[in-house]
Amino acid sequence: MVESGVTKEHFLGRTLEAYDPPVRGDPITGERYYSKAWARAEWQHVFSKVWHIGGLLADLEEPGDWITHNLMRDSVIMMRQDDGTIRAFFNACVHRGNRLLWSDVGHNEKITCSYHGWQFGKDGTLLFAQDAEDFPNGNPCGKAHLTEIAVDTWGPFVWFNMDRNAQPLHEWLAPLPEQLAGYRMETMVRVLDVRCEIPCNWKIIRDNFNESYHLPTLHPELASFIDDEYTDTSFEMYPSGHNRMVQKGCHPSKRLDYPDAMQPLVEDVLREWGLDPADFVDRATQARVAIQQAKRKLGPERGFVHFESMSDSQLTDYYHYTLWPNTTITMSPDGFQILRSEPHPTDPEKCIFDHWYMMPPVKGRHEVITPVGPRPFKSCERETIIYGEATLGYVADQDMTIAVGQQQGLHSMGYKGGIISGQEKRIQRFHELLNDACGIPGELPDGRWDE
Ligand code: FES
Ligand SMILES: [Fe+2]
């Protein structure tokens, strides 16, 4: 069995002391979900200081290829250079501030501003300015540059950080690169990319992904296939602020009255990997290990070459990471999801939600099952959808319906800061890290809020 980083299968079902830091029990106040003072503080102290996924390396193959990513009121360009490196710049003209690029992806030898026609090279240097002799400090060409920011790569992604003094990306990501190496994420292709503006604060979606306490109520159907019983789940909170939860897959929930009763979804996987469900009658919880062994044996010859570097547990289980502060990476045996909520540029009661699904190439496979159903196995285009008019994936849809209702309830004078269970500790820690980063912004001496 290949071990992946600190993850060992026998850790499932308990939380390691080293990854279970104490929390203080700060109230999770309602106004943080709607106050502009909180949104300003989060931008200043958190979002402008951390690493963000800017897009896919696959979109930056040739010199001149670029991608952009908008984050709150700002925007970033990431561009492949002639020497093969990638550089990133704020997407704002240094002449008078006009936004330069408006699409998600593209290719240009020069970036030309649409206002007065200034032209910038791939490295951000100003190459042409109309009436260049008319500037009191001299011709700005060759001297003015787009404002550069930090950029790096990990997995299939380009990452940016607006803080030039940022910690190196691979240090910031720890321990994910080590723990996730076996999946060979860098080989994976984005087969689903949906974006939607959701009428709730970005942290409501964070809170949802930082606990599994809601699974029996909101996603009861998952219990036939994922063991969502909390004493059988591992929770780890890392010094970086990232965290993870690991749940057994191909394993009915121990919450069920009779977990060993066979379930149709488990039967399907048994058959898929050449096993006979009749051999597991009244022993459904033993199917998981048998499926791991079958995948180990048959996977490579069926084209699942990445199985060779994955641990036995990774062949069946769900490794659900939340990066500080706002990106969830859910690893499943078949691929992984990015579930990201970003603050809305102006309204704290809305957010931008991205759901991506990335899958490995498997020889001969042309159609795959994604969270929104079957799709061709090929790099996809972004679908921007109107909330409620199309699916974000059936599990995500279930989560979003509650997110919108919670946004309303958190305004109530009847909500007093939460009563948090042990298995929701990642939420408590998230808000305490946020309190530490932001202070308690906006509160005036008389208890009113600065809006
Ligand atoms: S604002 Fe870009 S050229 Fe003037
Ligand atoms: Fe959920």
Side-chain angles (χ1 to χ4, degrees):
M1 171 172 157
V2 178
E3 292 297 352
S4 179
V6 297
T7 303
K8 292 191 175 65
E9 191 170 351
H10 60 269
F11 290 170
L12 287 184
R14 68 193 176 90
T15 297
L16 296 176
E17 208 175 316
Y19 301 129
D20 187 25
V23 289
R24 303 183 292 258
D26 296 3
I28 301 173
T29 52
E31 70 280 343
R32 70 186 54 218
Y33 296 95
Y34 51 80
S35 125
K36 287 196 168 165
W38 264 98
R40 281 195 298 272
E42 287 164 2
W43 170 254
Q44 185 183 350
H45 300 294
V46 180
F47 283 94
S48 63
K49 302 268 191 268
V50 301
W51 286 95
H52 301 273
I53 295 175
L56 296 184
L57 262 171
D59 287 327
L60 294 184
E61 284 189 338
E62 301 295 329
D65 287 353
W66 52 260
I67 54 177
T68 64
H69 183 70
N70 300 342
L71 181 61
M72 290 189 82
R73 302 301 294 270
D74 220 319
S75 179
V76 169
I77 301 168
M78 290 142 276
M79 195 160 196
R80 181 71 75 181
Q81 304 292 302
D82 290 328
D83 66 1
T85 60
I86 298 169
R87 294 174 88 159
F89 313 98
F90 285 111
N91 187 8
C93 183
V94 290
H95 176 223
R96 298 250 310 282
N98 186 37
R99 183 163 289 183
L100 292 162
L101 297 175
W102 291 84
S103 309
D104 293 330
V105 292
H107 175 95
N108 286 90
E109 290 303 308
K110 293 175 194 159
I111 299 173
T112 302
C113 181
S114 55
Y115 197 176
H116 311 94
W118 281 25
Q119 293 182 353
F120 301 89
K122 298 185 195 82
D123 66 353
T125 304
L126 179 64
L127 302 178
F128 170 81
Q130 179 184 304
D131 304 335
E133 72 287 353
D134 188 33
F135 287 81
N137 292 327
N139 181 344
C141 294
K143 298 188 208 113
H145 301 269
L146 297 180
T147 306
E148 190 161 4
I149 61 170
V151 68
D152 204 346
T153 63
W154 174 68
F157 304 123
V158 184
W159 300 70
F160 68 86
N161 193 321
M162 295 176 178
D163 181 358
R164 290 303 302 269
N165 299 315
Q167 187 183 10
L169 173 64
H170 286 246
E171 279 177 25
W172 181 83
L173 283 168
L176 273 74
E178 182 193 8
Q179 292 182 353
L180 299 181
Y183 288 95
R184 305 186 196 171
M185 295 162 78
E186 65 281 0
T187 67
M188 297 200 194
V189 173
R190 185 168 60 186
V191 295
L192 176 76
D193 174 2
V194 284
R195 170 169 289 178
C196 185
E197 184 180 294
I198 312 280
C200 72
N201 182 271
W202 68 278
K203 297 188 290 299
I204 285 185
I205 294 176
R206 289 303 96 214
D207 295 348
N208 179 273
F209 291 135
N210 270 329
E211 54 96 346
S212 53
Y213 188 50
H214 69 278
L215 266 57
T217 312
L218 214 51
H219 317 299
E221 68 284 351
L222 297 182
S224 74
F225 193 73
I226 297 177
D227 187 0
D228 61 359
E229 214 283 325
Y230 74 97
T231 60
D232 214 25
T233 299
S234 91
F235 303 102
E236 297 181 355
M237 287 160 271
Y238 304 115
S240 53
H242 313 320
N243 69 58
R244 82 168 177 184
M245 172 185 80
V246 188
Q247 291 182 316
K248 290 175 184 161
C250 302
H251 190 294
S253 172
K254 288 198 178 160
R255 291 180 190 277
L256 297 175
D257 290 340
Y258 184 40
D260 263 319
M262 184 45 76
Q263 303 286 341
L265 286 176
V266 178
E267 284 183 336
D268 289 348
V269 181
L270 284 166
R271 279 194 207 95
E272 186 185 342
W273 290 98
L275 297 161
D276 185 353
D279 294 339
F280 295 88
V281 172
D282 292 330
R283 305 194 295 124
T285 56
Q286 293 174 38
R288 170 176 168 267
V289 170
I291 290 167
Q292 290 172 358
Q293 289 165 352
K295 285 184 163 182
R296 174 75 61 226
K297 187 160 151 245
L298 300 174
E301 71 192 48
R302 291 188 180 185
F304 293 81
V305 288
H306 54 292
F307 283 2
E308 289 172 342
S309 52
M310 287 165 64
S311 71
D312 288 349
S313 165
Q314 288 170 341
L315 294 178
T316 53
D317 300 340
Y318 292 83
Y319 285 73
H320 177 89
Y321 289 80
T322 295
L323 271 65
W324 168 259
N326 70 324
T327 302
T328 292
I329 305 179
T330 297
M331 310 300 303
S332 73
D334 303 315
F336 73 93
Q337 299 171 73
I338 294 287
L339 298 144
R340 172 169 68 181
S341 56
E342 290 183 334
H344 185 275
T346 56
D347 185 348
E349 301 209 53
K350 294 177 182 162
C351 67
I352 314 300
F353 178 67
D354 283 314
H355 188 183
W356 300 353
Y357 193 47
M358 314 275 304
M359 295 190 82
V362 172
K363 203 167 172 209
R365 183 171 69 169
H366 303 295
E367 188 176 85
V368 287
I369 303 299
T370 76
V372 302
R375 287 282 174 105
F377 179 79
K378 65 175 178 113
S379 178
C380 67
E381 302 218 331
R382 171 164 298 152
E383 298 159 68
T384 301
I385 66 172
I386 309 278
Y387 177 72
E389 293 193 358
T391 184
L392 290 161
Y394 85 97
V395 176
D397 288 343
Q398 292 167 331
D399 289 322
M400 295 311 138
T401 56
I402 285 299
V404 174
Q406 193 183 10
Q407 182 70 33
Q408 304 307 311
L410 286 165
H411 281 274
S412 172
M413 288 189 287
Y415 171 72
K416 297 184 189 303
I419 301 168
I420 306 300
S421 66
Q423 64 196 280
E424 294 171 292
K425 189 174 180 183
R426 289 172 297 152
I427 295 181
Q428 186 69 40
R429 180 161 186 256
F430 168 83
H431 286 283
E432 294 184 3
L433 291 174
L434 202 62
N435 288 347
D436 292 346
C438 296
I440 308 254
E443 193 170 22
L444 299 172
D446 62 2
R448 287 181 303 116
W449 279 77
D450 163 28
E451 286 304 316

